[in-house]
Amino acid sequence: NKMKAVAQVTFDQEFVVHDIKVIEGRNGLFIAMPRKEKNGTFKDIVHPINQPTRDKIANAILKAYDEAEDPEPVSETPAE
């Protein structure tokens, strides 16, 4: 699965953005903020309007992702 995590960011305790995805791409991890439309396409409903702001948000999310404990792998055991 290419999606590694889902994040939420709160700005100044006044504005929150939910469902920011951490995605594994060809060149490493990146963030995406899409919403799936009824027709199956994806559209960003919120996004930074300049690269420095995008970098600031991405760096904060990816740092938190890196610092989070790796979850234990879940092995599925067939019911007996």
Side-chain angles (χ1 to χ4, degrees):
N1 190 349
K2 292 183 180 188
M3 187 169 69
K4 301 300 180 185
V6 178
Q8 113 181 1
V9 177
T10 302
F11 297 91
D12 297 326
Q13 300 301 313
E14 297 175 343
F15 185 79
V16 66
V17 179
H18 297 277
D19 297 329
I20 301 172
K21 277 80 171 165
V22 176
I23 308 290
E24 179 74 47
R26 281 184 263 161
N27 298 319
L29 296 174
F30 67 94
I31 63 166
M33 297 178 249
R35 179 183 78 187
K36 190 171 186 179
E37 299 289 311
K38 290 181 182 178
N39 66 5
T41 62
F42 291 90
K43 178 180 178 182
D44 283 348
I45 57 169
V46 62
H47 58 87
I49 58 171
N50 59 51
Q51 194 62 46
T53 302
R54 175 172 283 284
D55 293 343
K56 187 176 181 180
I57 294 168
N59 290 339
I61 291 170
L62 297 176
K63 180 180 178 195
Y65 176 79
D66 286 340
E67 291 173 353
E69 282 188 12
D70 289 327
E72 291 294 318
V74 176
S75 60
E76 295 187 28
T77 306
E80 294 182 31

